Amino acid sequence: EEMAARAEMEAARAEAEKEMLEREMEMLRARSAETGSVCVKWEHVSEEEQAQAKELEMEEARKRKMEKEMERRQAEQLERHVQERVEEADKAADRAEMARAEIERLKAELEVLCKRIEREKNSHSAQWAFNMTEEEREEIKEREREEARRREEEAREREMEKEMERMQQKERLCEAEEMAARAEMEAARAEAEKEMLEREMEMLRARSAETGSVCVKWEHVSEEEQAQAKEREMEEARNREMEIELERRQAEESEMQKVEEWERKKAEERERQNAEAEAAASHGRLKRCDLSPDPLAQVRAWVQEVGEGGREGEEHTRMCLSTVNAHGVPSARMVLMKRVDDDGIVFFTNYESRKSHELKENPFCACVFYWPTMNWSIRIQGRAHMLAEDESDRYFASRARRSQVGSHASRQSQPISSIDQVLAAVDHVDISFQDREVPRPSRWGGWKIVPFSIEFWQSGANRLHDRFEYRREVEGKDGAWLDTFSGPGVEGGSDANGERNAQGWVVRQLSP
């Protein structure tokens, strides 16, 4: 069909060229006839008329040339269009050929699968398994892995359903506790009313006894005194009624306060449980495959995600740093982590502070990050060393001027008489460095904690948290390698329940 189409197009183009040539021949014949008739009378034409005739002839020649150029361009455009159509037809033919090849391949694969299914139906013996090809074994393993993933997803869904059922049971238990508490309060209120009635009965008995003794002498009392006595008695009765009403209101207010306090505590407990459930549902269970093989890269990723969320405020890099002095006495404080390098965590402080003195005596330390809004925590153990002076200089130059001045003025951790002493020193230093840059004091710089243990923690419902630990060997102060895989709280030897990755870290999941 393509060859026939091309032949037709060539024939059409030849026909067009033939027609064009015939038109040109007609025009030449007509021009030659005109020229012959003009030449007869040419000798009788003036020079001016001859010049006009030549100019007209040149104009006609230009027009004929333009027409030929137009026709040539149209022919080239038509030829390009035909060539494009031919190329499109070639591409369509190639695609059709590829589609036919793909269909043939799929048919072959379908035939192979049908044969394999037939073999699986007809034979389940060990000999058949032994005779399988390596590709067939790989395909079977892949199907088994898919089935295992599917079962894991189903188990996860069942676990979520069980968690929802547990939450519903907790809610029902809370409702039952609320009903029991209300019943207890009703019983307490009834008991209080009973005691109140008993006191009123005692008062009435005492009043009746007094009335009996008074009635003996009542006849000897004048009418005015009797009226005054009745008035006093009515006043006392009103006072007793007001006292009883006041006691009743106070009892009701006390009961209402108890109910409100109990309901508030229950609401807080439900909110806490819902928050834990939402956090567990939003994050899902923390798995080993979710974590980076490099724990410091994972620390950087969590810090970045918390910072982008903005829910921890501006100081989402704060961490609790714990140190131990030469006598084994620990101390802890909050510091700001400034960056996470490929080999450790960096912070800056005064080299004369307590933490710096203790790190010089004992370089082993620990730090903890905790982000309650994300239900995440990172626990790090490592060995600290001081940064090079040029690194400390670069960071110090990036600080705000007031912070630079404070580093000169404050002798961190040293006793002072009052804060005014430090403020006065800050003003004095600020004036002394006026109109020039503040240099870094020699007693201020950075520390880098090179970790040998990093644990990632994620909150889970019912205190069933997810914990993954990265651990590796570390060189001690005397140059010997320390065994960080044994000791109190670390069981099972170096690689128990863990696998060593390419970075040299042993990754283990810990029990909550």
Side-chain angles (χ1 to χ4, degrees), residues 78-318:
L78 177 62
E79 187 175 357
R80 284 196 302 271
H81 181 67
V82 170
Q83 186 66 25
E84 290 175 358
R85 296 294 300 271
V86 170
E87 290 176 357
E88 289 178 359
D90 292 340
K91 291 179 181 179
D94 293 339
R95 288 196 295 270
E97 186 64 27
M98 292 173 63
R100 282 194 293 272
E102 183 69 15
I103 290 170
E104 291 297 328
R105 187 183 65 79
L106 291 174
K107 284 182 179 179
E109 290 183 0
L110 180 61
E111 186 176 355
V112 171
L113 288 173
C114 290
K115 289 180 180 179
R116 190 172 300 150
I117 292 170
E118 189 66 25
R119 285 202 305 272
E120 290 177 357
K121 286 182 179 178
N122 295 335
S123 175
H124 296 282
S125 63
Q127 186 64 28
W128 172 79
F130 180 77
N131 293 331
M132 280 194 303
T133 63
E134 189 64 27
E135 293 180 357
E136 291 173 341
R137 290 192 182 93
E138 288 297 327
E139 289 181 1
I140 290 173
K141 289 181 181 179
E142 183 63 27
R143 287 200 298 272
E144 290 176 352
R145 285 193 290 269
E146 289 291 336
E147 183 66 20
R149 284 194 288 269
R150 186 183 61 80
R151 286 196 297 269
E152 184 179 355
E153 290 292 333
E154 292 177 353
R156 192 178 297 112
E157 291 177 358
R158 287 195 297 271
E159 184 179 353
M160 291 295 294
E161 292 176 356
K162 289 180 181 178
E163 184 64 27
M164 291 297 295
E165 290 179 359
R166 285 195 290 269
M167 292 295 295
Q168 292 175 358
Q169 289 177 359
K170 285 184 180 179
E171 290 179 358
R172 289 195 292 271
L173 180 62
C174 289
E175 291 176 357
E177 290 177 353
E178 289 176 2
M179 293 176 64
R182 287 173 184 168
E184 290 178 359
M185 285 187 287
E186 290 290 337
R189 186 163 54 190
E191 186 69 24
E193 290 178 355
K194 179 182 176 183
E195 292 177 357
M196 196 183 304
L197 291 173
E198 288 177 352
R199 286 198 300 271
E200 289 180 0
M201 289 296 294
E202 291 293 333
M203 292 171 66
L204 288 172
R205 291 192 189 97
R207 197 179 305 122
S208 63
E210 291 175 0
T211 305
S213 62
V214 169
C215 288
V216 177
K217 300 178 181 180
W218 192 257
E219 57 184 4
H220 305 290
V221 178
S222 64
E223 292 181 359
E224 185 179 355
E225 290 176 347
Q226 290 179 9
Q228 292 176 356
K230 288 180 179 180
E231 185 67 27
R232 286 195 302 271
E233 187 174 350
M234 291 174 66
E235 185 67 25
E236 289 175 359
R238 283 194 298 270
N239 292 336
R240 285 194 295 273
E241 288 178 357
M242 290 175 65
E243 291 175 359
I244 292 169
E245 181 66 20
L246 182 61
E247 289 177 357
R248 184 183 65 78
R249 290 182 179 177
Q250 290 177 350
E252 288 180 354
E253 289 178 359
S254 177
E255 290 171 4
M256 289 296 294
Q257 290 177 357
K258 290 179 181 179
V259 170
E260 290 175 357
E261 181 68 18
W262 182 81
E263 289 179 350
R264 184 182 61 79
K265 290 181 179 179
K266 288 298 178 182
E268 290 177 354
E269 180 67 19
R270 283 196 296 271
E271 288 178 0
R272 185 187 62 77
Q273 292 174 355
N274 292 335
E276 288 182 356
E278 288 177 2
S282 62
H283 292 297
R285 304 303 301 191
L286 185 63
K287 304 182 188 65
R288 186 174 300 181
C289 61
D290 298 331
L291 300 173
S292 172
D294 182 5
L296 288 169
Q298 187 64 42
V299 171
R300 193 182 299 112
W302 274 20
V303 171
Q304 182 178 358
E305 184 171 349
V306 174
E308 290 174 352
R311 291 185 289 179
E312 292 291 337
E314 296 180 354
E315 296 184 352
H316 63 280
T317 59
R318 59 184 177 270

Side-chain angles (χ1 to χ4, degrees), residues 280-465:
S282 62
H283 292 297
R285 304 303 301 191
L286 185 63
K287 304 182 188 65
R288 186 174 300 181
C289 61
D290 298 331
L291 300 173
S292 172
D294 182 5
L296 288 169
Q298 187 64 42
V299 171
R300 193 182 299 112
W302 274 20
V303 171
Q304 182 178 358
E305 184 171 349
V306 174
E308 290 174 352
R311 291 185 289 179
E312 292 291 337
E314 296 180 354
E315 296 184 352
H316 63 280
T317 59
R318 59 184 177 270
M319 64 180 184
C320 178
L321 173 67
S322 299
T323 55
V324 180
N325 64 13
H327 303 289
V329 179
S331 61
R333 76 286 294 158
M334 301 301 294
V335 299
L336 291 179
M337 182 272 294
K338 290 303 178 183
R339 69 172 189 264
V340 182
D341 291 342
D342 293 337
D343 58 342
I345 293 173
V346 175
F347 70 94
F348 293 86
T349 187
N350 191 308
Y351 286 149
E352 296 179 355
S353 63
R354 177 177 177 180
K355 52 183 169 292
S356 292
H357 280 299
E358 293 182 353
L359 288 174
K360 293 173 185 176
E361 294 174 354
N362 183 358
F364 292 101
C365 60
C367 58
V368 176
F369 294 91
Y370 178 54
W371 301 289
T373 58
M374 301 292 288
N375 287 296
W376 283 347
S377 178
I378 302 176
R379 189 166 64 93
I380 299 173
Q381 293 174 284
R383 184 175 183 177
H385 64 80
M386 296 171 64
L387 289 180
E389 292 187 357
D390 57 343
E391 292 187 66
S392 296
D393 289 338
R394 283 197 299 270
Y395 175 73
F396 188 83
S398 67
R399 303 183 80 203
R401 180 180 176 84
R402 199 66 175 172
S403 299
Q404 293 175 341
V405 171
S407 300
H408 279 270
S410 176
R411 314 284 295 189
Q412 194 176 109
S413 302
Q414 300 300 316
I416 58 175
S417 58
S418 69
I419 193 64
D420 295 335
Q421 176 183 345
V422 179
L423 297 177
V426 169
D427 294 337
H428 176 73
V429 173
D430 195 10
I431 293 172
S432 63
F433 289 111
Q434 192 173 11
D435 298 331
R436 62 191 180 100
E437 294 184 355
V438 181
R440 179 183 67 87
S442 59
R443 63 172 180 271
W444 191 96
W447 289 90
K448 177 179 285 188
I449 303 173
V450 179
F452 58 82
S453 174
I454 301 179
E455 179 186 327
F456 296 91
W457 176 95
Q458 178 177 287
S459 175
N462 302 316
R463 302 293 189 270
L464 299 177
H465 311 307

Side-chain angles (χ1 to χ4, degrees), residues 469 471 483-487 490-498 506 508:
E469 179 192 55
R471 189 172 284 269
D483 181 11
T484 64
F485 296 91
S486 60
V490 182
E491 301 179 357
S494 62
D495 294 344
N497 299 324
V506 173
R508 305 191 294 186

